[in-house]
Amino acid sequence: MKTLLGIESSCDECSAAVVRYGPERLDVLSVSTFSQIRIHRPYGGVVPEIASRNHLETVNHMIEQALKSAGFSSAEAVDAIAVTNRPGLVGALLVGVSAAKALAYAHEKPLIPVHHLEGHAASVFLDRVDRSDLLFPLLLAIVSGGHSNLYCVPGPPELWPPDFLNRSLVGRSRDDAAGEAFDKTAKLLGFPYPGGKEIDETAQKGNPKAFEFPRALPQKATLDFSFSGLKTAVALTAEKLKTAGILEKNIPDLCASIQEAIVDALLIKIGLAAKIHGCRSLAVVGGVAANSRLRGRLSAEWEKIGFESPPIFPQLKYCTDNAAMIAGAGAFRLAQGKFLRGKELLTLNAIANPET
Ligand code: KG4
Ligand code: ZN
């Protein structure tokens, strides 16, 4: 068994976590996360400079708290340290990377740089006692505020090569990510940033068939998404309703109809990808994997789509950004002997937009 400390600071969540990894087990011992959402809310989005300053003020506290909750008095007690070093806001990433480098060098621990999306992929395995419903090739959907990517994953995480994300990508968004589609349409309706959760909650009281919004590229044999048409359609509809003085009373129906359009678009491409690539099961991760309608529809329709087992979603707390998933992805790399040590680890840098 190996114990890892993970650190995540790529955007607006400052998080540290401790996981324990053994044969087919990845147990989360602790997670400490400070979400900056409320700090950025007045600006309608994440302000990079404010994000990095806040990470700087919070990161040591998150690390101390995560170690303490796991029963450790310092980083000396863990076997390795994993940190998100790409992609993300470069100033925000640098805070986590610098903290991880300092700890790894001082305590002479291996340091594992983690791609943020590999972290989301690893969230599938956190606290999972049974992997028997994960059938390969697995269709992995990473649906977050920054990405709507579909991957055809050939085997278990212990065998993922360093560039497996690049190699297994089969579909992506051509414009906004699914989370951005939620956030931007939510903004048009007057909800505070980020808005995805509010649309989900308000949609419970609305009719998903009340408004007919476009489904992204449904007729085409492409696995790519496009959500810009939806945003324009919602803007025009909201404007019309506002002029007529009936926007407010239509908000629940608008939310339900927007959510249905996004969920439909995801389901159409998930079904097409499964068919084209012969994927046997499905895992959905990232912030949008918390959406109740997406979970409900996939849980009801997986057999019709052609999967052999029900869809896999991480626990809600592991859908949005957290350091447990980073520590988890780091554990798989550590087992493969892929880490930095000694003076070499001091060369690690933060990368905003990596090629890989
Ligand atoms: O994975 P995440 O925390 O950050 C990125 O790596 O981007 O995802 C954040 C995104 C936001 O766009 C947020 O609105 C969306 O996830 N989100 C939701 C829900 N909860 C979070 N979208 C729809 N329904 C939800 N319940
Ligand atoms: Zn994320």
Side-chain angles (χ1 to χ4, degrees):
M1 298 291 260
K2 295 279 183 204
T3 308
L4 287 95
L5 168 70
I7 301 171
E8 154 67 38
S9 69
S10 66
C11 190
D12 57 351
E13 256 91 39
C14 189
S15 183
V18 179
V19 302
R20 183 168 287 150
Y21 175 63
E24 299 226 336
R25 285 299 295 268
L26 188 55
D27 300 324
V28 180
L29 303 188
S30 66
V31 194
S32 288
T33 304
F34 179 79
S35 173
Q36 304 176 358
I37 282 180
R38 266 183 292 141
I39 296 170
H40 297 289
R41 198 159 259 172
Y43 307 98
V46 178
V47 184
E49 180 62 21
I50 295 176
S52 25
R53 273 171 189 272
N54 195 271
H55 281 301
L56 207 53
E57 285 167 17
T58 328
V59 71
N60 285 338
H61 185 54
M62 291 301 113
I63 293 169
E64 271 167 35
Q65 215 169 271
L67 287 168
K68 204 170 151 201
S69 314
F72 302 139
S73 55
S74 85
E76 188 58 38
V78 300
D79 295 302
I81 297 170
V83 64
T84 310
N85 82 315
R86 65 202 194 281
L89 303 170
V90 77
L93 283 166
L94 263 176
V95 176
V97 167
S98 308
K101 280 163 73 171
L103 283 174
Y105 193 68
H107 295 283
E108 298 181 359
K109 304 288 175 190
L111 179 67
I112 306 136
V114 173
H115 191 296
H116 181 77
L117 293 184
E118 245 181 68
H120 277 297
S123 68
V124 170
F125 302 92
L126 297 172
D127 287 339
R128 173 167 293 277
V129 283
D130 181 8
R131 283 194 191 176
S132 61
D133 52 349
L134 278 157
L135 306 170
F136 297 97
L138 166 84
L139 185 66
L140 171 71
I142 302 186
V143 280
S144 69
H147 298 86
S148 303
N149 291 355
L150 296 177
Y151 301 88
C152 177
V153 179
E158 284 75 12
L159 303 178
W160 290 349
D163 62 344
F164 95 97
L165 281 176
N166 263 354
R167 283 204 227 168
S168 53
L169 184 71
V170 295
R172 63 191 306 172
S173 181
R174 293 189 184 171
D175 36 59
D176 292 339
E180 259 178 313
F182 272 108
D183 298 345
K184 289 184 178 173
T185 51
K187 196 172 179 179
L188 291 170
L189 304 186
F191 288 105
Y193 171 82
K197 196 161 174 246
E198 281 80 0
I199 289 210
D200 189 348
E201 283 163 5
T202 315
Q204 320 270 345
K205 295 168 259 159
N207 172 10
K209 294 202 173 106
F211 295 93
E212 187 61 37
F213 291 127
R215 272 51 173 163
L217 311 173
Q219 73 291 7
K220 307 235 175 79
T222 171
L223 295 180
D224 286 352
F225 301 97
S226 168
F227 291 108
S228 56
L230 170 68
K231 200 176 54 189
T232 311
V234 173
L236 291 173
T237 306
E239 197 52 47
K240 254 191 238 159
L241 294 170
K242 199 171 176 185
T243 310
I246 49 170
L247 177 61
E248 221 33 58
K249 73 168 191 206
N250 278 291
I251 294 283
D253 281 350
L254 281 167
C255 286
S257 304
I258 291 166
Q259 179 172 263
E260 204 64 6
I262 298 172
V263 169
D264 259 350
L266 292 173
L267 257 70
I268 290 167
K269 298 303 175 186
I270 283 172
L272 192 58
K275 204 163 132 199
I276 293 175
H277 294 281
C279 298
R280 299 177 62 202
S281 61
L282 169 73
V284 188
V285 303
V288 178
N291 184 265
S292 62
R293 185 70 178 156
L294 181 63
R295 285 181 175 242
R297 293 246 342 242
L298 282 171
S299 299
E301 296 174 37
W302 60 272
E303 274 177 299
K304 197 173 86 191
I305 297 173
F307 292 116
E308 294 173 38
S309 56
I312 294 148
F313 299 97
Q315 290 179 48
L316 285 180
K317 60 184 172 190
Y318 303 137
C319 287
T320 44
D321 290 348
N322 66 88
M325 67 186 198
I326 303 304
F332 300 138
R333 292 274 167 254
L334 181 70
Q336 295 171 348
K338 301 216 162 54
F339 52 80
L340 303 167
R341 256 214 125 105
K343 287 226 164 74
E344 182 195 20
L345 71 80
L346 298 174
T347 61
L348 181 67
N349 213 342
I351 311 168
N353 282 308
E355 293 288 310
T356 56

